[in-house]
Amino acid sequence: MENFWKSLWDAKAQTENYFTQTGRGNSFTMYQFLLYIQDVQNALQLCKNDVLLDCGGGPGWITFHLAPFVWNATMFDYSPELVKKAQAQAQAFNNVFIFQDDILTMQQFKLVDPIHPIFTKVLVGSVLQYLSNMDEVQTALQNIYNVMRPGGKCLLTHNPDLSKKESHIASMPQTEESLQQENARLWINPQEMMYLSLKAGFSECLIKQINPQIWQSSHMVDYLVIK
């Protein structure tokens, strides 16, 4: 499944539509994008003292929009093509750092001092749905926890809700490509997500509703975890 998604993301990197590059489809609008940024800001309460990590930031558009709110922003993605696109666009931002990495390994963070972790705020934007199973979700949560400062907040956005899987798939165009993608996603039980977050060491895991004017709100939820 990993190769399926990586090939898909490398292909999306070649498109001209900014929202397709971020995985939100060519029907996503600028208004919905701004509502998404508002959801992120409302949950994370970003400020100029924050050191932000954007996990799976794709072409960097979300990172670039959030960078003015924070001291600095680090972004990584596992798609080489999306990272190239992000790096090419990042030169105008003196507080944005971009590199290639994977949320399941986070190799670039292996030397982070566990006594003095780096990030006060973390965004995991629509990433968990592309993992293979809940064991990988647990690994991702643990990796995030390890680089966050005590009291830090992490927002995990747009996660498919397992209880809404059947109704959502039934509402989709019944094409082979559409069904393949929807069934390939990792649909998550919110109760299991809350359990795994606490197991990773987070003190809280809160379910946050997506703005109803964003179409993903019909079948997805956000999670805010606090260290």
Side-chain angles (χ1 to χ4, degrees), residues 134 160-163 187-195 223:
M134 295 306 292
D161 184 340
L162 180 60
S163 68
W187 292 77
I188 298 174
N189 181 331
Q191 295 303 315
E192 185 174 5
M193 180 66 182
M194 296 174 76
Y195 168 76
Y223 299 100

Side-chain angles (χ1 to χ4, degrees), residues 95-113:
N95 69 334
V96 172
F97 308 95
I98 296 174
F99 51 85
Q100 185 178 351
D101 210 333
D102 190 318
I103 199 170
L104 295 178
T105 57
M106 291 179 65
Q107 291 290 340
Q108 299 289 339
F109 303 92
K110 293 302 183 184
L111 297 179
V112 171
D113 181 355

Side-chain angles (χ1 to χ4, degrees), residues 154-171:
C154 171
L155 183 66
L156 304 108
T157 71
H158 293 195
N159 304 281
D161 184 340
L162 180 60
S163 68
K164 299 179 180 178
K165 178 179 179 179
E166 291 186 9
S167 60
H168 173 70
I169 292 179
S171 71

Side-chain angles (χ1 to χ4, degrees), residues 130-149:
Y130 304 114
L131 300 182
S132 298
N133 51 55
M134 295 306 292
D135 286 341
E136 290 190 352
V137 171
Q138 178 72 70
T139 297
L141 288 169
Q142 195 65 64
N143 287 340
I144 294 164
Y145 178 90
N146 291 342
V147 300
M148 287 176 62
R149 296 181 189 174

Side-chain angles (χ1 to χ4, degrees), residues 11-155:
K12 287 180 183 293
Q14 307 306 318
T15 66
E16 296 300 321
N17 186 290
Y18 295 160
F19 304 133
T20 298
Q21 293 169 16
T22 67
R24 286 162 178 81
N26 55 19
S27 63
F28 206 75
T29 66
M30 177 57 75
Y31 179 62
Q32 290 176 317
F33 181 78
L34 294 175
L35 291 175
Y36 176 79
I37 296 296
Q38 179 176 253
D39 276 355
V40 172
Q41 173 61 6
N42 286 344
L44 290 180
Q45 294 292 297
L46 299 173
C47 68
K48 274 297 185 178
N49 293 326
D50 279 324
V51 181
L52 174 68
L53 176 63
D54 185 359
C55 305
W61 303 120
I62 294 166
T63 312
F64 301 151
H65 278 75
L66 297 177
F69 294 113
V70 300
W71 177 254
N72 64 51
T74 297
M75 189 217 91
F76 70 81
D77 197 272
Y78 79 164
S79 165
E81 295 302 318
L82 286 172
V83 169
K84 288 179 187 176
K85 187 173 287 289
Q87 289 174 333
Q89 301 288 345
Q91 298 177 17
F93 297 85
N94 60 12
N95 69 334
V96 172
F97 308 95
I98 296 174
F99 51 85
Q100 185 178 351
D101 210 333
D102 190 318
I103 199 170
L104 295 178
T105 57
M106 291 179 65
Q107 291 290 340
Q108 299 289 339
F109 303 92
K110 293 302 183 184
L111 297 179
V112 171
D113 181 355
I115 306 301
H116 301 97
I118 302 173
F119 300 101
T120 60
K121 303 289 171 64
V122 178
L123 174 64
V124 184
S126 192
V127 171
L128 297 187
Q129 63 177 312
Y130 304 114
L131 300 182
S132 298
N133 51 55
M134 295 306 292
D135 286 341
E136 290 190 352
V137 171
Q138 178 72 70
T139 297
L141 288 169
Q142 195 65 64
N143 287 340
I144 294 164
Y145 178 90
N146 291 342
V147 300
M148 287 176 62
R149 296 181 189 174
K153 296 179 180 180
C154 171
L155 183 66

